[in-house]
Amino acid sequence: MVNPLDMEGRTVLVTGASSGIGRETAILLSELGARVVLTARNRERLEETRGRMSGEGHRIEPFDLNETDAIPDWIKRIATETGPLGGLVHSAGIFRLLPLQAENTLKIESLMRINLTSAIMLVKGFRRSGCALGGSGVVLLSSVAGIVGSAGIPAYSASKGALISLTRSAALELAVSGLRINCVAAGSVETEMLHGSPYIPEQFEALKRRHALGIGAPRDVAHAIAFLLADTGRWITGSTLVVDGGYSAA
């Protein structure tokens, strides 16, 4: 039987692999046969992720994505040691519930550095000569907050909407090198980030009701990411796949 999602022989770099969607994506890709380079700041949590994965050859690369200028050289080093990458998933990100009146420049710039600037530099590094296999792709994790307005998260929404725009423009540049880039706009899923957010119970219940199919699971989003990375996504680039349990349909 042919598995169109087979990732055998590919090495995929996954950011934010210490928890949530990033961790679940790394686990799923390992089940599909990929070798995964796990990155986040916390080595111990990355070890926990690796302990849940299938297969061998996975690698832990702790890194602080706040060091944005160092990202391209870091990717080049990894690709030199592992061979060209067969995919990149940028799942790391910050969620901040903060209305406009409470924002300031420092808070906005720190959020944008992780959610947007690091993404740009990751894509820059992935495109470098010898860093990626022809036909391989990048998947950026955006959010329905970048598509549908929501009070209290203006900076976060702006960062996630910017990823969608980045995906469209970068697709035209990467195509020249035979590479792809797509985006997944996820709804709310059962992660530590969701339960650690400062929603009061009434707000959380309202959020759940906005999802026609209920709050999702990390694996729901991981499946979409794998679809875009594998040969099933070979003719897809510059696109945003909405995986939100019906949130944006309302």
Side-chain angles (χ1 to χ4, degrees):
M1 179 179 289
V2 175
N3 177 10
L5 294 175
D6 181 35
M7 297 289 291
E8 195 75 37
R10 302 190 198 188
T11 301
V12 182
L13 173 63
V14 179
T15 75
S18 59
S19 64
I21 293 170
R23 170 175 281 177
E24 194 63 29
T25 298
I27 294 170
L28 174 61
L29 292 175
S30 74
E31 293 169 356
L32 294 171
R35 294 184 301 275
V36 184
V37 180
L38 307 165
T39 189
R41 288 179 293 183
N42 189 310
R43 175 179 286 276
E44 184 176 336
R45 291 178 65 84
L46 290 174
E47 292 284 4
E48 291 176 12
T49 301
R50 184 162 64 176
R52 302 183 190 184
M53 295 168 66
S54 302
E56 299 179 347
H58 310 303
R59 181 185 181 113
I60 288 176
E61 285 282 346
F63 188 80
D64 185 353
L65 291 174
N66 282 299
E67 304 296 328
T68 51
D69 285 335
I71 289 173
D73 286 342
W74 173 68
I75 289 181
K76 181 67 174 179
R77 177 182 64 77
I78 292 172
T80 299
E81 295 174 1
T82 66
L85 297 173
L88 166 64
V89 179
H90 183 38
S91 180
I94 298 172
F95 174 79
R96 186 176 294 147
L97 183 64
L98 202 66
L100 279 171
Q101 293 301 322
E103 287 286 10
N104 60 47
T105 301
L106 183 61
K107 291 175 182 176
I108 294 168
E109 290 180 348
S110 67
L111 184 144
M112 289 293 180
R113 176 172 286 271
I114 291 296
N115 289 5
L116 177 61
T117 308
S118 67
I120 295 172
M121 300 306 282
L122 284 163
V123 175
K124 176 182 177 179
F126 189 77
R127 194 194 176 188
R128 276 190 174 180
S129 177
C131 288
L133 295 171
S136 60
V138 176
V139 178
L140 305 179
L141 188 62
S142 181
S143 166
V144 288
I147 300 172
V148 179
S150 183
I153 52 172
Y156 176 77
S157 296
S159 72
K160 293 302 185 177
L163 287 179
I164 293 171
S165 296
L166 167 64
T167 297
R168 293 194 190 102
S169 293
L172 301 178
E173 293 194 29
L174 266 62
V176 176
S177 303
L179 304 173
R180 301 177 295 106
I181 180 170
N182 291 290
C183 199
V184 171
S188 297
V189 300
E190 292 283 355
T191 63
E192 294 174 20
M193 181 183 288
L194 177 65
H195 290 287
S197 60
Y199 287 116
I200 62 175
E202 292 80 3
Q203 290 174 315
F204 190 70
E205 288 303 314
L207 180 67
K208 289 199 290 187
R209 288 195 298 272
R210 283 289 302 271
H211 293 75
L213 298 180
I215 300 293
R219 175 81 37 144
D220 295 323
V221 182
H223 281 147
I225 293 170
F227 166 78
L228 291 170
L229 283 179
D231 287 344
T232 43
R234 62 168 294 277
W235 204 50
I236 303 172
T237 196
S239 296
T240 297
L241 178 55
V242 179
V243 184
D244 68 352
Y247 182 95
S248 59

